[in-house]
Amino acid sequence: MELLIEDGHVYTDGEAVEADVGVRDGRIAEVGDVRDADRVLDASGCLVLPGMVNAHTHASMSLLRGYADDLPLDRWLEEHIWPIEAHLEPQDIRVGAELAAVEMIRTGTTAFADMYFGMDEVADAVDVSGLRASLGYGIITVGKDDDEAREELNEGVGFVREYDGAGDGRISTMLCPHAPYTCDEQTLREAARAARDEGVTLHTHLSETDGEVRDSVDSHAERPPAYLESLDFFDGDVYVAHGVHLDGDEIEMLANRGVGVAHCPSANMKLASGTAPVAEMLDAGMTVGIGTDGPASNNTLDMFKETRHTALVAKSREGDASVVPAREALDAATRGGAELLGTQSGVIAEGRPADIAVVDLDAPHLTPRHSLVSHAVYAANGGDVVHTVVDGEVLMEDGHVETVDAGRVTAEAEERARRLAERTEAEA
Amino acid sequence: MELLIEDGHVYTDGEAVEADVGVRDGRIAEVGDVRDADRVLDASGCLVLPGMVNAHTHASMSLLRGYADDLPLDRWLEEHIWPIEAHLEPQDIRVGAELAAVEMIRTGTTAFADMYFGMDEVADAVDVSGLRASLGYGIITVGKDDDEAREELNEGVGFVREYDGAGDGRISTMLCPHAPYTCDEQTLREAARAARDEGVTLHTHLSETDGEVRDSVDSHAERPPAYLESLDFFDGDVYVAHGVHLDGDEIEMLANRGVGVAHCPSANMKLASGTAPVAEMLDAGMTVGIGTDGPASNNTLDMFKETRHTALVAKSREGDASVVPAREALDAATRGGAELLGTQSGVIAEGRPADIAVVDLDAPHLTPRHSLVSHAVYAANGGDVVHTVVDGEVLMEDGHVETVDAGRVTAEAEERARRLAERTEAEA
């Protein structure tokens, strides 16, 4: 074996069993009693989980973490986020993605989906970090003329062609028309067609706010899902983010069309968008993953927080403590997200990519061990992760990130964020 | 000075300012430029916060963490929690409280309010740990005859008389009739009178679930607040836990009577009780503190999680991202809780008890530093706390708990929890 994760409690088939995990050629070769390997990670007294999959984020927004909070969505965007984003330089986007990568590795996230601009910088940061990612350029055509709109789509398609399969195959790509309300009809239709032609996933924001639904009815005489359906948007491999304001018929339609959803509970609460009907989505058979959304509206990339929220918010919303039990939430955070990203990771089983997060259980808040699955969802933090492995490569051992210089990245992020805020405020 | 917390960003008057904190005779003697002290805690690159105050918990239930989850409240209590609680031995309660104390110290909680049984064990654990606490025996008379009910009340009063002022004054006591639905009318009335006579706070669970409100109307022809008001319950120093199902008139009545509330968002979500109208409570002028509730319904004692939830859940509930901004949530978790517990801590200012939590900001998820108050609420974890101080005594430095042997406690808790579950299941 190339790598042995030794003597842990391995989460597999919904429960934690004592086993070693052996890795060969980047894949899980054996779950059981494994001996001899080139490298050994000690997992005694640890819970060995499939790596968390962050199914929806905007990683480079880590540079805007805490820049503006506690504001209504429109003022937050128009008065703060868009003005500062207009001053982002390519190296800011690069450093923001590196900072996010370090945070994700430290908190046990092994794969993420990202939609933003300057995506070549994000892809390079992913490549170096060793993470797995599904990346797409966020196509926005609102306020643009036809030529500019075509350029936006071309940028998205160009990124797909250049980067799909990059990073030794760890990088896949998506086509990402940002939202039905930020793209014109023709672009939405053509982006969907281009995704099918290129053989990549289509990803967009959908029904995030009540206002978005009302505006769609005003503009298109249809709610957002019906509007997109009329544009043949759901004909290929598609998943959406949020889905807070989907009704029962829409959930059924999306489930029947094989459309998945990335649920982002913290951001939905922080921006007062509402709470998504996750229990209904799961019941309908939709593939549900979990996302942090951007770190400016969360404000972390800690998937353990989101997994806990997924269970808690669903119970509160439905008035039923039995909905979305720990195992369902954990499976959404791992296997569900992996399915949305189109990767075989998210499950610890022979033949699967070795994307693994090891949680140290030797902590008062993880004592006693009545149920390790309960602890993973209700009690653990991202900070409890000690080892992170992607594609069989060790990205972190004993809390030390090996692929990225965390000290250099945080110092550079701090400095670049300060200058970015100064540039933005000088112009305001 | 006895103690100097050197070179941090000190949270005072709603913002973080660069300063040292000097401590003499257990109190904050100076916030500014302090030199020379017997002991120095390095706070450079750190946020210096008032210690978190957990305003409602049942600490010894840490031994039941993860024992049963994802169940409706009635089945959770009747089929799992009450049966296992019936097998708790005094040493279990002691070790549960010690485990909770270690977790609280590690996550920056410096004071907590606790209502349970076997409270002499809890008090002893608090004494040794160095924490500050307000403790009360949970009086329950449902299913008991008059003599037994009187014994329950006497147990509560006896605990107050024996332990008020214990632990070098760090322990105060409360009278805690468990809830209007678990105590008879006479006990509720007499407990309230006894609290006034003894000069201690009265604390109870109130309007936690919709079912409780309906049952009260059925049994007493009044909703719980009006029922308690008819028993002169609110004539003294009183605060309640939960208040999920308080209506606007009830909030106004309680605010006018000076009644405070301990808000427990995680437990309310996890048990599907609902979401409390915290923004309304704050607007009405109620003193709002934050509690984790017991670790079997949370499942941690991490007040950073609850503080974040307090802000997020309020925004989601009100559909307004501007309600309960970061500062209000942080103040509720510190000053608000301290007011409920009747301690002068919860604020970093000269003359206040030196109850302090120091958060290390040198972490990717706390980078960049646009706003440290935002980070404290939206991005930090209890695990980011490096030093914890109570009454000027250092309980933890650089993550090492000095007053309690964390290794001994977690090992003993693990072993006792295993035997407790075995005893319970052998009888089932």
Side-chain angles (χ1 to χ4, degrees):
Chain A
M1 297 288 173
E2 290 157 8
L3 179 68
L4 164 57
I5 300 166
E6 193 171 37
D7 206 15
H9 303 266
V10 180
Y11 181 72
T12 180
D13 283 331
E15 52 182 20
V17 297
E18 288 182 44
D20 308 314
V21 178
V23 176
R24 192 182 293 126
D25 296 332
R27 292 189 173 258
I28 295 167
E30 199 174 340
V31 179
D33 189 13
V34 182
R35 281 150 213 269
D36 299 331
D38 299 341
R39 184 167 181 180
V40 178
L41 293 180
D42 178 14
S44 57
C46 293
L47 176 61
V48 180
L49 294 173
M52 293 282 184
V53 179
N54 189 340
H56 181 75
T57 190
H58 315 286
S60 297
M61 290 183 84
S62 64
L63 236 53
L64 314 185
R65 190 198 315 272
Y67 180 67
D69 302 291
D70 306 319
L71 294 165
L73 182 60
D74 52 351
R75 287 188 55 207
W76 181 71
L77 282 173
E78 291 164 22
E79 297 176 17
H80 300 275
I81 298 303
W82 289 341
I84 196 169
E85 282 187 337
H87 289 85
L88 280 169
E89 297 170 353
Q91 186 61 17
D92 294 329
I93 292 177
R94 167 64 179 254
V95 170
E98 289 178 330
L99 179 65
V102 173
E103 186 185 350
M104 287 191 272
I105 292 168
R106 282 175 47 127
T107 54
T109 290
T110 53
F112 70 106
D114 204 274
M115 176 198 305
Y116 209 55
F117 53 96
M119 291 303 293
D120 48 342
E121 300 291 345
V122 178
D124 289 348
V126 170
D127 187 6
V128 171
S129 73
L131 285 166
R132 190 181 301 282
S134 182
L135 308 177
Y137 171 75
I139 298 165
I140 295 181
T141 67
V142 67
K144 298 195 168 99
D145 68 24
D146 283 357
D147 284 349
E148 290 167 333
R150 196 163 305 118
E151 263 175 49
E152 279 286 293
L153 181 60
N154 288 342
E155 175 91 20
V157 174
F159 179 78
V160 163
R161 291 183 180 163
E162 187 169 348
Y163 283 95
D164 204 60
D168 303 318
R170 286 179 286 102
I171 294 175
S172 59
T173 60
M174 309 181 280
L175 267 169
C176 297
H178 171 267
Y181 61 93
T182 52
C183 290
D184 64 276
E185 277 192 34
Q186 189 179 340
T187 300
L188 289 166
R189 192 188 292 274
E190 288 183 4
R193 187 184 302 134
R196 296 191 293 272
D197 290 347
E198 301 292 331
V200 298
T201 296
L202 185 68
H203 179 44
T204 194
H205 297 85
L206 185 69
S207 299
E208 179 176 358
T209 66
D210 190 44
E212 173 192 341
V213 176
R214 279 186 277 114
D215 288 350
S216 177
V217 171
D218 287 349
S219 303
H220 310 295
E222 286 178 311
R223 291 164 58 92
Y227 169 59
L228 288 185
E229 174 75 323
S230 76
L231 304 177
D232 303 328
F233 198 85
F234 300 125
D235 285 0
D237 178 29
V238 188
Y239 82 96
V240 301
H242 303 298
V244 172
H245 296 277
L246 296 176
D247 66 24
D249 290 342
E250 289 168 342
I251 289 170
E252 195 178 339
M253 184 273 281
L254 293 172
N256 288 338
R257 302 292 261 122
V259 176
V261 64
H263 172 51
C264 304
S266 283
N268 295 158
M269 286 195 282
K270 186 157 182 277
L271 296 170
S273 305
T275 52
V278 170
E280 271 183 81
M281 292 167 170
L282 286 165
D283 280 350
M286 286 182 82
T287 299
V288 174
I290 301 175
T292 59
D293 210 350
S297 56
N298 184 302
N299 294 348
T300 83
L301 293 161
D302 184 345
M303 280 290 293
F304 286 84
K305 275 199 178 86
E306 291 317 299
T307 307
R308 184 172 186 270
H309 276 325
T310 295
L312 296 189
V313 171
K315 295 171 198 309
S316 178
R317 186 183 196 281
E318 306 303 330
D320 180 352
S322 68
V323 303
V324 191
R327 179 186 167 172
E328 273 186 35
L330 185 56
D331 285 346
T334 53
R335 198 184 58 201
E339 285 175 18
L340 298 180
L341 269 65
T343 158
Q344 294 291 307
S345 66
V347 176
I348 299 183
E350 284 172 31
R352 300 285 189 145
D355 291 14
I356 288 170
V358 180
V359 175
D360 184 4
L361 295 166
D362 181 19
H365 64 286
L366 302 176
T367 303
R369 300 182 193 172
H370 292 299
S371 164
L372 300 187
V373 178
S374 166
H375 283 2
V377 174
Y378 295 122
N381 293 312
D384 298 317
V385 174
V386 285
H387 314 315
T388 303
V389 174
V390 174
D391 239 13
E393 296 296 320
V394 179
L395 309 191
M396 179 171 79
E397 181 174 4
D398 286 332
H400 175 72
V401 177
E402 301 192 351
T403 49
V404 186
D405 178 346
R408 191 267 302 162
V409 167
T410 50
E412 193 175 343
E414 192 67 56
E415 174 61 16
R416 287 209 152 258
R418 190 182 58 70
R419 278 156 40 199
L420 172 65
E422 282 173 5
R423 281 200 302 280
T424 307
E425 279 146 30
E427 197 183 84
Chain B
M1 298 288 172
E2 291 157 9
L3 179 67
L4 164 56
I5 301 167
E6 193 171 37
D7 205 17
H9 302 267
V10 180
Y11 181 73
T12 178
D13 283 332
E15 52 182 20
V17 296
E18 288 181 45
D20 308 314
V21 177
V23 175
R24 191 182 292 126
D25 296 332
R27 291 189 173 258
I28 295 167
E30 200 174 339
V31 180
D33 188 14
V34 182
R35 281 150 213 273
D36 299 331
D38 299 340
R39 184 167 181 181
V40 177
L41 294 181
D42 178 14
S44 58
C46 292
L47 177 61
V48 180
L49 293 174
M52 293 283 184
V53 179
N54 189 341
H56 181 75
T57 190
H58 314 285
S60 297
M61 292 182 83
S62 64
L63 236 54
L64 314 185
R65 190 198 315 271
Y67 180 67
D69 302 290
D70 305 320
L71 293 166
L73 181 61
D74 52 350
R75 286 189 54 206
W76 180 72
L77 282 173
E78 290 163 22
E79 296 176 17
H80 300 275
I81 297 302
W82 290 340
I84 195 169
E85 282 187 338
H87 289 85
L88 281 169
E89 296 170 353
Q91 187 61 15
D92 294 329
I93 292 177
R94 169 63 178 256
V95 170
E98 289 177 330
L99 179 65
V102 173
E103 186 185 351
M104 288 192 271
I105 292 168
R106 282 175 48 129
T107 54
T109 290
T110 53
F112 70 105
D114 204 273
M115 176 198 304
Y116 209 55
F117 52 97
M119 291 303 292
D120 48 343
E121 299 291 345
V122 179
D124 288 349
V126 170
D127 187 7
V128 171
S129 73
L131 285 167
R132 189 183 301 283
S134 182
L135 307 178
Y137 171 74
I139 297 164
I140 296 181
T141 67
V142 68
K144 298 194 167 100
D145 66 25
D146 283 359
D147 284 348
E148 289 167 333
R150 197 162 304 117
E151 263 174 47
E152 280 287 292
L153 181 59
N154 288 343
E155 176 90 21
V157 173
F159 179 79
V160 163
R161 290 181 180 162
E162 186 169 351
Y163 284 94
D164 203 61
D168 302 320
R170 286 179 287 102
I171 294 175
S172 59
T173 60
M174 308 181 281
L175 266 169
C176 298
H178 171 268
Y181 62 92
T182 52
C183 290
D184 63 276
E185 276 191 36
Q186 188 179 343
T187 301
L188 290 167
R189 194 188 290 275
E190 288 183 4
R193 186 184 301 134
R196 297 192 293 273
D197 291 345
E198 301 292 330
V200 298
T201 296
L202 185 69
H203 178 44
T204 194
H205 297 85
L206 184 68
S207 300
E208 179 175 359
T209 66
D210 190 43
E212 172 192 341
V213 175
R214 278 186 279 114
D215 289 349
S216 176
V217 171
D218 287 349
S219 304
H220 310 295
E222 286 177 310
R223 291 164 57 92
Y227 170 58
L228 288 185
E229 174 74 323
S230 76
L231 304 177
D232 302 328
F233 198 84
F234 300 125
D235 285 1
D237 178 28
V238 188
Y239 82 96
V240 301
H242 302 299
V244 172
H245 295 278
L246 295 176
D247 66 24
D249 291 342
E250 290 167 343
I251 290 171
E252 196 178 340
M253 183 273 280
L254 293 173
N256 288 338
R257 303 292 261 120
V259 176
V261 64
H263 173 48
C264 304
S266 284
N268 295 157
M269 287 195 282
K270 186 158 184 276
L271 296 170
S273 306
T275 52
V278 171
E280 271 184 82
M281 292 166 171
L282 287 164
D283 280 351
M286 285 183 82
T287 298
V288 175
I290 302 175
T292 59
D293 211 346
S297 55
N298 183 303
N299 292 352
T300 82
L301 293 161
D302 183 346
M303 280 290 293
F304 286 83
K305 277 199 177 87
E306 291 317 300
T307 307
R308 184 172 186 268
H309 276 324
T310 295
L312 295 189
V313 171
K315 295 171 197 310
S316 179
R317 185 183 196 281
E318 305 303 329
D320 180 351
S322 68
V323 302
V324 191
R327 180 185 166 172
E328 271 184 37
L330 185 55
D331 285 347
T334 51
R335 197 183 60 201
E339 285 175 17
L340 297 181
L341 268 66
T343 157
Q344 294 292 305
S345 66
V347 175
I348 299 183
E350 285 172 30
R352 300 285 190 145
D355 290 14
I356 289 170
V358 179
V359 175
D360 184 3
L361 296 166
D362 182 18
H365 65 284
L366 302 176
T367 303
R369 300 182 192 172
H370 292 299
S371 163
L372 300 187
V373 177
S374 167
H375 284 1
V377 173
Y378 295 122
N381 292 311
D384 298 318
V385 174
V386 285
H387 314 315
T388 303
V389 174
V390 173
D391 239 14
E393 296 296 320
V394 179
L395 308 192
M396 178 172 78
E397 181 174 6
D398 286 331
H400 175 72
V401 177
E402 301 192 351
T403 49
V404 185
D405 179 346
R408 191 267 302 162
V409 167
T410 52
E412 192 175 343
E414 193 67 56
E415 174 61 18
R416 286 209 154 258
R418 190 183 58 71
R419 278 155 42 196
L420 172 65
E422 282 174 5
R423 281 200 301 280
T424 307
E425 279 146 30
E427 197 181 84

